[in-house]
Short mmCIF file of all heavy atoms in Angstrom, two decimals:
data_model
loop_
_atom_site.label_atom_id
_atom_site.label_comp_id
_atom_site.label_asym_id
_atom_site.label_seq_id
_atom_site.Cartn_x
_atom_site.Cartn_y
_atom_site.Cartn_z
N ALA A 58 56.01 18.04 -15.28
CA ALA A 58 54.77 18.79 -15.51
C ALA A 58 54.28 19.45 -14.23
O ALA A 58 54.52 18.97 -13.12
CB ALA A 58 53.70 17.85 -16.05
N TRP A 59 53.60 20.55 -14.44
CA TRP A 59 52.94 21.28 -13.36
C TRP A 59 51.48 21.51 -13.76
O TRP A 59 51.19 21.74 -14.93
CB TRP A 59 53.63 22.63 -13.12
CG TRP A 59 52.84 23.54 -12.23
CD1 TRP A 59 52.82 23.59 -10.87
CD2 TRP A 59 51.89 24.53 -12.67
NE1 TRP A 59 51.94 24.54 -10.44
CE2 TRP A 59 51.36 25.14 -11.52
CE3 TRP A 59 51.44 24.95 -13.92
CZ2 TRP A 59 50.41 26.14 -11.57
CZ3 TRP A 59 50.49 25.95 -13.98
CH2 TRP A 59 49.98 26.55 -12.81
N TYR A 60 50.59 21.44 -12.77
CA TYR A 60 49.17 21.70 -13.01
C TYR A 60 48.63 22.61 -11.91
O TYR A 60 48.97 22.43 -10.73
CB TYR A 60 48.36 20.40 -13.00
CG TYR A 60 48.78 19.40 -14.05
CD1 TYR A 60 49.70 18.41 -13.75
CD2 TYR A 60 48.26 19.46 -15.34
CE1 TYR A 60 50.10 17.50 -14.71
CE2 TYR A 60 48.64 18.55 -16.31
CZ TYR A 60 49.57 17.58 -15.99
OH TYR A 60 49.96 16.68 -16.95
N THR A 61 47.77 23.52 -12.28
CA THR A 61 47.07 24.27 -11.26
C THR A 61 46.08 23.34 -10.57
O THR A 61 45.62 22.35 -11.17
CB THR A 61 46.36 25.49 -11.87
OG1 THR A 61 45.96 26.37 -10.83
CG2 THR A 61 45.17 25.09 -12.72
N ASP A 62 45.77 23.63 -9.33
CA ASP A 62 44.98 22.70 -8.52
C ASP A 62 43.64 22.34 -9.15
O ASP A 62 43.18 21.19 -9.05
CB ASP A 62 44.75 23.29 -7.12
CG ASP A 62 45.99 23.22 -6.26
OD1 ASP A 62 46.95 22.52 -6.63
OD2 ASP A 62 46.00 23.89 -5.20
N SER A 63 43.02 23.30 -9.80
CA SER A 63 41.66 23.08 -10.30
C SER A 63 41.58 22.09 -11.46
O SER A 63 40.49 21.62 -11.80
CB SER A 63 41.02 24.40 -10.70
OG SER A 63 41.73 24.99 -11.76
N VAL A 64 42.73 21.75 -12.06
CA VAL A 64 42.70 20.82 -13.20
C VAL A 64 43.43 19.52 -12.92
O VAL A 64 43.45 18.62 -13.78
CB VAL A 64 43.28 21.47 -14.48
CG1 VAL A 64 42.60 22.81 -14.76
CG2 VAL A 64 44.78 21.63 -14.41
N LYS A 65 44.03 19.41 -11.76
CA LYS A 65 44.76 18.18 -11.43
C LYS A 65 43.83 16.98 -11.49
O LYS A 65 42.72 17.00 -10.99
CB LYS A 65 45.37 18.30 -10.03
CG LYS A 65 46.59 19.18 -9.98
CD LYS A 65 47.17 19.25 -8.56
CE LYS A 65 48.39 20.14 -8.51
NZ LYS A 65 48.91 20.30 -7.13
N GLY A 66 44.32 15.92 -12.14
CA GLY A 66 43.52 14.70 -12.29
C GLY A 66 42.59 14.73 -13.48
O GLY A 66 42.00 13.69 -13.82
N ARG A 67 42.44 15.89 -14.13
CA ARG A 67 41.56 16.01 -15.29
C ARG A 67 42.32 16.35 -16.57
O ARG A 67 41.94 15.89 -17.64
CB ARG A 67 40.49 17.08 -15.03
CG ARG A 67 39.61 16.79 -13.83
CD ARG A 67 38.45 17.79 -13.75
NE ARG A 67 38.88 19.18 -13.59
CZ ARG A 67 38.55 20.16 -14.42
NH1 ARG A 67 37.82 19.92 -15.49
NH2 ARG A 67 38.98 21.40 -14.19
N PHE A 68 43.35 17.16 -16.45
CA PHE A 68 44.12 17.61 -17.60
C PHE A 68 45.49 16.92 -17.62
O PHE A 68 46.07 16.65 -16.55
CB PHE A 68 44.35 19.11 -17.56
CG PHE A 68 43.13 19.96 -17.78
CD1 PHE A 68 41.85 19.41 -17.79
CD2 PHE A 68 43.26 21.33 -17.99
CE1 PHE A 68 40.73 20.21 -18.00
CE2 PHE A 68 42.15 22.13 -18.21
CZ PHE A 68 40.89 21.57 -18.19
N THR A 69 45.99 16.66 -18.81
CA THR A 69 47.32 16.08 -18.97
C THR A 69 48.07 16.83 -20.06
O THR A 69 47.57 16.96 -21.18
CB THR A 69 47.24 14.60 -19.33
OG1 THR A 69 46.49 13.89 -18.34
CG2 THR A 69 48.65 14.00 -19.42
N ILE A 70 49.25 17.31 -19.72
CA ILE A 70 50.09 17.99 -20.69
C ILE A 70 51.13 16.99 -21.21
O ILE A 70 51.59 16.12 -20.48
CB ILE A 70 50.78 19.23 -20.06
CG1 ILE A 70 51.42 20.09 -21.15
CG2 ILE A 70 51.79 18.82 -18.99
CD1 ILE A 70 51.93 21.45 -20.64
N SER A 71 51.46 17.13 -22.49
CA SER A 71 52.48 16.27 -23.08
C SER A 71 53.13 17.01 -24.24
O SER A 71 52.67 18.07 -24.65
CB SER A 71 51.87 14.95 -23.56
OG SER A 71 50.89 15.17 -24.57
N ARG A 72 54.21 16.42 -24.74
CA ARG A 72 54.87 17.03 -25.89
C ARG A 72 55.43 15.92 -26.76
O ARG A 72 55.82 14.87 -26.27
CB ARG A 72 55.98 17.99 -25.43
CG ARG A 72 57.09 17.37 -24.64
CD ARG A 72 57.97 18.45 -24.00
NE ARG A 72 58.50 19.37 -25.00
CZ ARG A 72 58.93 20.62 -24.70
NH1 ARG A 72 58.90 21.06 -23.46
NH2 ARG A 72 59.41 21.39 -25.66
N ASP A 73 55.42 16.17 -28.04
CA ASP A 73 56.00 15.25 -29.02
C ASP A 73 57.00 16.07 -29.82
O ASP A 73 56.62 16.77 -30.77
CB ASP A 73 54.90 14.66 -29.90
CG ASP A 73 55.43 13.61 -30.87
OD1 ASP A 73 56.64 13.61 -31.15
OD2 ASP A 73 54.62 12.81 -31.36
N ASN A 74 58.26 15.99 -29.44
CA ASN A 74 59.27 16.81 -30.11
C ASN A 74 59.45 16.43 -31.57
O ASN A 74 59.81 17.27 -32.39
CB ASN A 74 60.60 16.73 -29.36
CG ASN A 74 60.58 17.51 -28.05
OD1 ASN A 74 59.67 18.30 -27.79
ND2 ASN A 74 61.58 17.29 -27.21
N ALA A 75 59.19 15.18 -31.90
CA ALA A 75 59.31 14.75 -33.30
C ALA A 75 58.29 15.47 -34.17
O ALA A 75 58.53 15.72 -35.36
CB ALA A 75 59.14 13.25 -33.41
N LYS A 76 57.14 15.80 -33.59
CA LYS A 76 56.10 16.53 -34.32
C LYS A 76 56.13 18.02 -34.02
O LYS A 76 55.28 18.75 -34.53
CB LYS A 76 54.73 15.95 -33.97
CG LYS A 76 54.54 14.51 -34.43
CD LYS A 76 53.13 14.01 -34.10
CE LYS A 76 52.93 12.60 -34.61
NZ LYS A 76 51.56 12.09 -34.31
N ASN A 77 57.07 18.42 -33.16
CA ASN A 77 57.18 19.84 -32.79
C ASN A 77 55.84 20.36 -32.26
O ASN A 77 55.41 21.47 -32.60
CB ASN A 77 57.65 20.70 -33.96
CG ASN A 77 58.42 21.91 -33.51
OD1 ASN A 77 59.24 21.85 -32.59
ND2 ASN A 77 58.19 23.04 -34.17
N THR A 78 55.22 19.57 -31.43
CA THR A 78 53.88 19.88 -30.96
C THR A 78 53.74 19.53 -29.47
O THR A 78 54.32 18.54 -29.01
CB THR A 78 52.83 19.08 -31.76
OG1 THR A 78 52.95 19.41 -33.15
CG2 THR A 78 51.42 19.41 -31.30
N ALA A 79 53.01 20.37 -28.78
CA ALA A 79 52.63 20.08 -27.40
C ALA A 79 51.12 19.96 -27.33
O ALA A 79 50.40 20.50 -28.18
CB ALA A 79 53.12 21.19 -26.47
N TYR A 80 50.66 19.22 -26.32
CA TYR A 80 49.24 18.94 -26.21
C TYR A 80 48.74 19.22 -24.80
O TYR A 80 49.49 19.15 -23.83
CB TYR A 80 48.98 17.46 -26.53
CG TYR A 80 49.47 17.02 -27.88
CD1 TYR A 80 50.71 16.40 -28.02
CD2 TYR A 80 48.70 17.22 -29.02
CE1 TYR A 80 51.17 15.99 -29.25
CE2 TYR A 80 49.15 16.81 -30.27
CZ TYR A 80 50.39 16.20 -30.37
OH TYR A 80 50.85 15.79 -31.61
N LEU A 81 47.45 19.49 -24.71
CA LEU A 81 46.78 19.55 -23.43
C LEU A 81 45.51 18.73 -23.57
O LEU A 81 44.56 19.15 -24.25
CB LEU A 81 46.46 20.98 -23.02
CG LEU A 81 45.85 21.12 -21.63
CD1 LEU A 81 46.90 20.76 -20.56
CD2 LEU A 81 45.34 22.54 -21.40
N GLN A 82 45.51 17.54 -22.98
CA GLN A 82 44.33 16.69 -22.97
C GLN A 82 43.46 17.11 -21.80
O GLN A 82 43.92 17.10 -20.65
CB GLN A 82 44.73 15.22 -22.82
CG GLN A 82 43.55 14.26 -22.74
CD GLN A 82 42.77 14.18 -24.04
OE1 GLN A 82 43.35 14.12 -25.12
NE2 GLN A 82 41.44 14.19 -23.94
N MET A 83 42.23 17.47 -22.10
CA MET A 83 41.32 17.96 -21.08
C MET A 83 40.12 17.03 -20.98
O MET A 83 39.35 16.90 -21.93
CB MET A 83 40.86 19.38 -21.42
CG MET A 83 42.02 20.34 -21.65
SD MET A 83 41.48 22.06 -21.86
CE MET A 83 40.50 21.92 -23.35
N ASN A 84 39.99 16.37 -19.84
CA ASN A 84 38.88 15.45 -19.59
C ASN A 84 37.99 15.99 -18.48
O ASN A 84 38.38 16.88 -17.73
CB ASN A 84 39.43 14.07 -19.20
CG ASN A 84 40.27 13.44 -20.29
OD1 ASN A 84 40.06 13.66 -21.48
ND2 ASN A 84 41.25 12.64 -19.88
N SER A 85 36.82 15.42 -18.38
CA SER A 85 35.86 15.81 -17.31
C SER A 85 35.71 17.32 -17.25
O SER A 85 35.78 17.93 -16.18
CB SER A 85 36.34 15.26 -15.96
OG SER A 85 36.46 13.86 -16.00
N LEU A 86 35.50 17.92 -18.39
CA LEU A 86 35.43 19.38 -18.46
C LEU A 86 34.24 19.92 -17.70
O LEU A 86 33.16 19.30 -17.66
CB LEU A 86 35.40 19.83 -19.92
CG LEU A 86 36.79 19.78 -20.59
CD1 LEU A 86 36.64 19.79 -22.11
CD2 LEU A 86 37.65 20.96 -20.14
N LYS A 87 34.44 21.09 -17.12
CA LYS A 87 33.42 21.76 -16.31
C LYS A 87 33.12 23.12 -16.92
O LYS A 87 33.99 23.70 -17.60
CB LYS A 87 33.92 21.95 -14.89
CG LYS A 87 34.34 20.66 -14.19
CD LYS A 87 34.92 20.97 -12.82
CE LYS A 87 35.36 19.68 -12.11
NZ LYS A 87 35.94 19.96 -10.78
N PRO A 88 31.96 23.68 -16.67
CA PRO A 88 31.65 25.02 -17.19
C PRO A 88 32.70 26.06 -16.78
O PRO A 88 32.99 26.97 -17.56
CB PRO A 88 30.28 25.33 -16.57
CG PRO A 88 29.66 23.98 -16.41
CD PRO A 88 30.79 23.06 -16.03
N GLU A 89 33.28 25.91 -15.62
CA GLU A 89 34.29 26.87 -15.17
C GLU A 89 35.62 26.75 -15.92
O GLU A 89 36.52 27.58 -15.73
CB GLU A 89 34.54 26.75 -13.66
CG GLU A 89 34.82 25.35 -13.18
CD GLU A 89 33.57 24.66 -12.62
OE1 GLU A 89 32.49 24.76 -13.23
OE2 GLU A 89 33.71 23.98 -11.57
N ASP A 90 35.74 25.75 -16.78
CA ASP A 90 36.92 25.65 -17.65
C ASP A 90 36.77 26.51 -18.91
O ASP A 90 37.72 26.62 -19.69
CB ASP A 90 37.16 24.19 -18.07
CG ASP A 90 37.52 23.30 -16.90
OD1 ASP A 90 38.32 23.74 -16.04
OD2 ASP A 90 37.01 22.16 -16.85
N THR A 91 35.61 27.09 -19.10
CA THR A 91 35.37 27.92 -20.27
C THR A 91 36.30 29.13 -20.26
O THR A 91 36.36 29.89 -19.29
CB THR A 91 33.90 28.40 -20.30
OG1 THR A 91 33.05 27.26 -20.46
CG2 THR A 91 33.67 29.39 -21.43
#
Side-chain angles (χ1 to χ4, degrees):
W59 168 86
Y60 300 94
T61 194
D62 285 347
S63 63
V64 308
K65 285 180 180 176
R67 300 188 298 123
F68 291 11
T69 303
I70 192 170
S71 62
R72 62 192 303 159
D73 185 339
N74 287 347
K76 295 182 178 180
N77 209 41
T78 301
Y80 303 96
L81 185 68
Q82 177 67 43
M83 306 187 297
N84 298 329
S85 302
L86 282 161
K87 303 176 181 180
E89 51 263 43
D90 295 318
T91 295

